[in-house]
Amino acid sequence: MPALPIKLAENVWRIPTLGSNLINSFVFEEPDGSITLVDAGMKGAPKKLIGSLAAIGKKPSDVKRILLTHAHYDHTDGAAAIRLSTGASVHAHVDDADYIRLGRRPPIGYPGPLGRVFAYVGTRMRSCEVDETFSEGEVLDVAGGLSVLHTPGHSPGHCSFLHSQSGVLITGDALFNFRDKMSYSFALFCFDPKLSRDTADRLGESEYEVAAFTHGPEIRRNARAAVREFLAKRKG
Ligand SMILES: [Zn+2]
Ligand SMILES: [Zn+2]
């Protein structure tokens, strides 16, 4: 029995594809009932996503777009299968698009021996065609407007998304909330760990009520204050 999508706000849902919130995808619904997915999970995720959407009466053909926050396998490995089974177009930031097309993870910039080991582990991903690219400041035509916040560092083209209409921020991997504990993305997975922390700081500047994380549960109330408190503590 697939999990029911978890409603975050009007026309916005979360669907976990691993555990109850270890890896999440997000769903935006248009007035005509069509769907945009944010992130496609690992290779087992498509079945869960399609099943979960079916539980709220959605057909595969209702999925029109798949936005990818960045080129890491836990976000992109399911993309090609969903694209194929739904006919949806795939969209990613221009700086990560070729990594997704080639199925290559961006380099890891963690220093020292551990970084050198990780540089050679998990470099292959499932490739997926990217039909369109986006970049900083664009407002995508998704559910009344979805703003692209380029938050590079975790990967070169990593993006967060802000849906002002519903007050939902999707952090992607710019911030984690594993086990309800907010953190910067783990440095060992980052293209440029320092840049990732620096650009995550901009997430304290936008206006939103709900913060939705790829990794971990959402914060449903006063999320901006919680994010700002975390960022201030880290800087202080
Ligand atoms: Zn990642
Ligand atoms: Zn991730």
Side-chain angles (χ1 to χ4, degrees):
M1 188 69 186
L4 275 173
I6 295 134
K7 190 166 184 174
L8 301 182
E10 212 46 47
N11 306 319
V12 189
W13 288 267
R14 171 170 70 84
I15 299 179
T17 60
L18 186 69
S20 59
N21 56 41
L22 292 177
I23 303 180
N24 299 309
S25 286
F26 301 95
V27 174
F28 289 89
E29 186 183 24
E30 304 293 336
D32 68 1
S34 67
I35 291 290
T36 296
L37 268 180
V38 176
D39 281 343
M42 298 195 293
K43 66 179 183 192
K47 221 174 136 187
K48 290 183 183 171
L49 288 166
I50 297 299
S52 192
L53 286 170
I56 55 167
K58 298 295 177 193
K59 305 184 296 292
S61 61
D62 290 328
V63 182
K64 302 295 185 200
R65 270 172 302 218
I66 304 161
L67 310 183
L68 298 174
T69 56
H70 65 293
H72 276 172
Y73 78 99
D74 53 325
H75 301 247
T76 58
D77 269 10
I82 300 176
R83 180 176 180 270
L84 196 67
S85 67
T86 61
S89 54
V90 169
H91 307 241
H93 187 276
V94 62
D95 293 342
D96 270 19
D98 281 346
Y99 291 112
I100 296 164
R101 289 179 179 124
L102 294 169
R104 304 291 299 181
R105 187 199 61 197
I108 294 295
Y110 191 82
L114 200 54
R116 283 199 290 280
V117 169
F118 261 69
Y120 292 100
V121 174
T123 56
R124 301 286 286 277
M125 317 185 303
R126 293 195 164 192
S127 63
C128 181
E129 185 51 64
V130 176
D131 301 284
E132 279 184 49
T133 59
F134 48 73
S135 48
E136 163 60 23
E138 265 183 64
V139 181
L140 306 174
D141 184 20
V142 173
L146 188 65
S147 302
V148 174
L149 306 177
H150 187 205
T151 41
H154 184 73
S155 74
H158 184 280
C159 286
S160 308
F161 296 109
L162 179 66
H163 190 235
S164 295
Q165 205 172 79
S166 63
V168 174
L169 171 77
I170 294 174
T171 65
D173 282 6
L175 290 174
F176 287 3
N177 197 32
F178 264 128
R179 298 176 181 214
D180 265 314
K181 195 174 183 330
M182 217 185 299
S183 70
Y184 286 119
S185 63
F186 303 153
L188 202 48
F189 304 137
C190 285
F191 169 74
D192 182 338
K194 182 181 182 309
L195 180 65
S196 176
R197 282 184 214 116
D198 289 348
T199 60
D201 286 348
R202 73 177 294 197
L203 299 180
E205 292 158 21
S206 304
E207 292 287 344
Y208 49 89
E209 176 72 10
V210 179
F213 304 84
T214 306
H215 303 298
E218 58 275 1
I219 298 172
R220 288 185 167 269
R221 298 248 177 278
N222 283 326
R224 179 183 192 249
V227 168
R228 287 172 75 96
E229 193 185 331
F230 164 77
L231 296 172
K233 246 189 260 168
R234 301 299 300 222
K235 270 186 280 192

